[in-house]
């Protein structure tokens, strides 16, 4: 699983909303407000990095156990794929 | 009076011109002519104002928005302001060259309308021979691009028998999403209501079909389903509530909270040639039915008042003659009996399979059939 390369699905954008001072996911007829952890992962998704690299970078940045981060990231990516927001 | 939360979406009705003539068109009976449309500079200013106000989604619609020669300029400008851009089109004038230009300008999503699952019905309902085939070609082009594709189907008595084929078509064409919307009875659709209202049996079958398809398709093809008001227990929170998150600008530059609000008497709609989008959002006509303060009973004390927001003002007007009354779709409405009677009459109608005459949308409606 960790070799998959997540990317935003067609028609999905992740941007900062200055009016509400929040990061938002914009999709067809949908507005999603990702929480802090989801935002941290979404910022790492660039269509190039695979999941293992994303986990490495977040583990280093948050100085947290890699296994813990790996579980969170996998759950989050699975959820966003099921929701049609990400593809891998 | 506290300041309203900023809007999330702007619906830009760029034009009322359209090559199709659907008998349930959401445009008003009196269509705006090309000479009365806003110019490019005004639309670009409104986009600047929308982005500054906090709008995130821009919906470019019509009529047929592709009829505007400045469509690419409008999209490019909105993209530069960070807006998420959705184009709602009949698709009959879309080709590979135009699609590439739309993508380059920054278009994110296309909602492509279909009138039926097959050409005979589609061309008949849209009133354009060959239209369905052109839509199929457009859908294939979009599916091969990186623009998200939604297929929009308005369903009614004359096409509900083919709902399963519509879903199969969306699947086969590779759409990410589909909207199945029962006809909303305003304007043209109200005029043609007798020909469009589904039977109770059609409705039951449609609900079951959608439930099964959703379970089978899940995220592969998301289905948004708009149930028909007349058969419901509670009304829809129309537009998510009056002036809560969306504003609409018509081709002539009037700002309104929804497509049908132009029919409400006594409203001096802000004219955006002369005023800003922000001023329109805070104006008296937008305040008129915003929130819960305007509500009569039974809405005022109802536990659903911040779920349904009193339903649809335009529907209350169309059915009772008074925009401020509770939406008669609601079982608690004192006017609900008339809606129940309409639904029951449709359910008993044995003529459902007989082709019915309807009046197509046109620049000069037939006065003899005017309401």
């Amino acid at each position: 699983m960790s070799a998959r390369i997540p990317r935003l699905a067609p028609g999905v954008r992740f941007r900062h909303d200055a009016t509400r001072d929040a990061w938002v996911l914009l999709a067809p007829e949908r507005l999603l407000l990702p929480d802090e952890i989801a935002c941290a992962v979404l910022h790492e998704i660039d269509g190039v990095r695979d999941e293992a690299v994303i986990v490495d970078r977040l583990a280093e940045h948050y100085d947290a156990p890699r296994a813990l981060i790996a579980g969170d990231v996998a759950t989050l990516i699975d959820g966003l794929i099921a929701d049609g927001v990400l593809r891998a | 009076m506290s300041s309203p939360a900023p809007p999330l979406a702007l619906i830009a009705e760029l034009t009322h011109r359209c090559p199709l003539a659907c008998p349930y068109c959401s445009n008003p009976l009196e269509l705006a002519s090309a000479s009365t449309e806003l110019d490019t500079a005004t639309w670009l200013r409104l986009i600047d104002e929308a982005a500054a106000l906090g709008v995130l989604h821009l919906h470019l619609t019509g009529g047929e928005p592709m009829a505007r020669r400045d469509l690419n300029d409008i999209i490019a400008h909105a993209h530069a302001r960070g807006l998420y851009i959705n184009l709602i089109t009949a698709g009959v004038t879309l080709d590979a060259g135009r699609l590439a230009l739309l993508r380059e300008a920054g278009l994110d999503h296309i909602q492509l309308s279909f009138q039926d699952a097959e050409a005979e019905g589609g061309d008949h309902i849209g009133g354009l021979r060959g239209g369905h085939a052109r839509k199929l070609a457009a859908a294939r082009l979009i599916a091969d691009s990186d623009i998200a594709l939604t297929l929009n189907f308005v369903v009614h008595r004359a096409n509900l028998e083919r709902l399963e084929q519509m879903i199969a078509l969306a699947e086969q064409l590779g759409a990410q999403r589909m909207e199945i919307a029962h006809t909303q009875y305003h304007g043209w659709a109200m005029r043609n209501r007798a020909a469009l209202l589904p039977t109770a049996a059609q409705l039951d079958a449609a609900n079951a079909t959608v439930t099964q398809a959703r379970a089978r398709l899940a995220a592969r093809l998301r289905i948004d389903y708009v149930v028909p008001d007349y058969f419901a227990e509670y009304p829809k929170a129309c537009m998510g509530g009056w002036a809560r998150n969306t504003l609409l600008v018509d081709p002539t530059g009037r700002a309104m909270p929804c497509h049908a609000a132009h029919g409400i008497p006594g409203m001096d709609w802000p004219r955006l040639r002369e005023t800003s989008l922000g001023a329109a959002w805070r104006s008296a006509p937008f305040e008129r039915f915003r929130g819960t303060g305007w509500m009569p009973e039974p809405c005022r004390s109802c536990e659903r008042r911040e779920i349904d927001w009193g339903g649809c003002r335009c529907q209350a007007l169309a059915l009772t003659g008074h925009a401020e009354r509770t939406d008669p779709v609601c079982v608690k409405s004192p006017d609900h009996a008339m809606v129940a009677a309409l639904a029951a009459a449709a359910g008993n109608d044995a003529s459902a399979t007989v082709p019915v005459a309807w009046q197509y949308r046109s620049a000069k409606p037939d006065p003899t059939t005017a309401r």
Side-chain angles (χ1 to χ4, degrees):
Chain A
M1 285 298 263
S2 61
R4 62 183 172 175
I5 300 173
R7 63 183 197 285
L8 293 176
V12 177
R13 282 174 40 199
F14 181 51
R15 62 161 275 204
H16 187 255
D17 171 6
T19 302
R20 299 163 189 87
D21 192 20
W23 282 85
V24 294
L25 272 171
L26 300 173
E29 299 290 323
R30 282 204 295 169
L31 165 66
L32 288 86
L33 303 171
D35 64 19
E36 211 174 315
I37 295 172
C39 283
V41 176
L42 284 163
H43 279 295
E44 295 296 325
I45 290 173
D46 61 0
V48 177
R49 292 175 195 140
D50 69 20
E51 189 172 339
V53 170
I54 291 170
V55 170
D56 288 343
R57 287 169 57 91
L58 289 171
E60 189 185 329
H61 184 265
Y62 290 100
D63 194 18
R66 198 182 179 286
L68 181 73
I69 296 281
D72 284 353
V73 170
T75 305
L76 198 103
I77 291 175
D78 288 345
L80 289 174
I81 288 174
D83 206 19
V85 170
L86 289 184
R87 293 198 177 163
Chain B
M1 181 169 62
S2 62
S3 179
L8 291 164
L10 171 64
I11 300 172
E13 276 185 352
L14 297 179
T15 179
H16 282 159
R17 291 173 283 148
C18 185
L20 268 59
C22 306
Y24 46 73
C25 182
S26 65
N27 288 165
L29 295 175
E30 281 186 35
L31 299 169
S33 65
S35 62
T36 63
E37 290 177 7
L38 291 184
D39 62 12
T40 309
T42 307
W43 277 117
L44 301 189
R45 168 176 63 83
L46 294 177
I47 286 165
D48 289 342
E49 292 173 359
L53 260 181
V55 165
L56 298 172
H57 277 102
L58 173 65
H59 304 281
L60 300 173
T61 184
E64 174 51 69
M66 303 252 309
R68 288 279 303 209
R69 290 195 194 145
D70 54 1
L71 181 62
N72 282 15
D73 301 327
I74 290 170
I75 291 173
H77 195 81
H79 182 71
R81 295 292 175 274
L83 296 181
Y84 184 98
I85 306 155
N86 175 28
L87 179 70
I88 302 160
T89 178
V92 296
T93 55
L94 189 73
D95 58 24
R98 283 210 75 174
L99 185 67
L101 290 172
L102 291 169
R103 181 67 198 124
E104 201 179 293
L107 183 62
D108 294 289
H109 174 217
I110 292 179
Q111 285 181 275
L112 181 62
S113 72
F114 273 87
Q115 282 65 43
D116 205 327
E118 38 90 71
E120 190 188 347
D123 291 356
H124 175 58
I125 296 163
L128 180 69
R129 191 171 294 275
H132 186 80
R134 281 145 84 174
K135 287 163 181 286
L136 290 175
R140 293 191 180 104
L141 287 170
I142 300 162
D144 283 342
S145 78
D146 58 355
I147 298 176
L149 173 63
T150 292
L151 298 197
N152 283 6
F153 288 89
V154 172
V155 291
H156 46 79
R157 178 174 299 207
N159 67 8
L160 266 170
E161 303 300 329
R162 289 175 294 282
L163 182 57
E164 283 188 26
Q165 290 95 307
M166 294 177 203
I167 296 168
L169 181 65
E171 212 181 335
Q172 177 206 325
L173 289 171
Q176 285 97 324
R177 187 172 163 275
M178 107 184 256
E179 283 187 16
I180 302 168
H182 284 270
T183 312
Q184 306 274 308
Y185 297 105
H186 304 294
W188 295 98
M190 185 59 140
R191 188 169 277 204
N192 290 304
R193 187 173 65 184
L196 297 169
L197 205 59
T199 65
Q202 282 182 320
L203 181 58
D204 286 345
N207 292 345
T209 298
V210 170
T211 302
Q212 287 166 15
R214 278 179 165 164
R216 182 170 63 81
L217 295 163
R220 197 148 52 85
L221 174 63
R222 296 173 62 86
I223 300 178
D224 278 5
Y225 183 52
V226 179
V227 298
D229 281 333
Y230 289 12
F231 298 85
E233 191 174 356
Y234 297 114
K236 287 187 199 62
C238 200
M239 307 302 289
W242 176 276
R244 282 192 71 238
N245 50 41
T246 303
L247 79 172
L248 173 140
V249 178
D250 84 357
T252 68
R254 286 186 304 177
M256 291 175 284
C258 78
H259 297 87
H262 55 79
I264 301 177
M267 296 291 229
D268 186 14
W269 299 112
R271 296 185 177 269
L272 295 167
R273 282 188 171 100
E274 290 118 46
T275 190
S276 72
L277 215 53
W281 186 243
R282 296 182 298 270
S283 68
F286 277 69
E287 279 300 322
R288 177 69 181 85
F289 298 117
R290 184 178 263 147
T292 57
W294 62 274
M295 287 181 177
E297 290 295 354
C299 295
R300 181 180 286 271
S301 60
C302 180
E303 70 281 3
R304 293 179 60 87
R305 64 184 176 275
E306 293 193 357
I307 300 170
D308 302 331
W309 299 100
C312 173
R313 297 305 86 229
C314 305
Q315 185 148 268
L317 174 68
L319 295 177
T320 75
H322 300 281
E324 68 279 11
R325 286 182 76 82
T326 295
D327 187 334
V329 161
C330 184
V331 291
K332 297 182 179 180
S333 157
D335 304 308
H336 182 69
M338 70 168 75
V339 172
L342 280 165
N348 290 332
D349 192 344
S351 67
T353 55
V354 177
V356 282
W358 52 49
Q359 189 192 343
Y360 285 106
R361 173 198 129 119
S362 67
K364 291 190 177 63
D366 176 1
T368 60
T369 55
R371 252 185 340 116

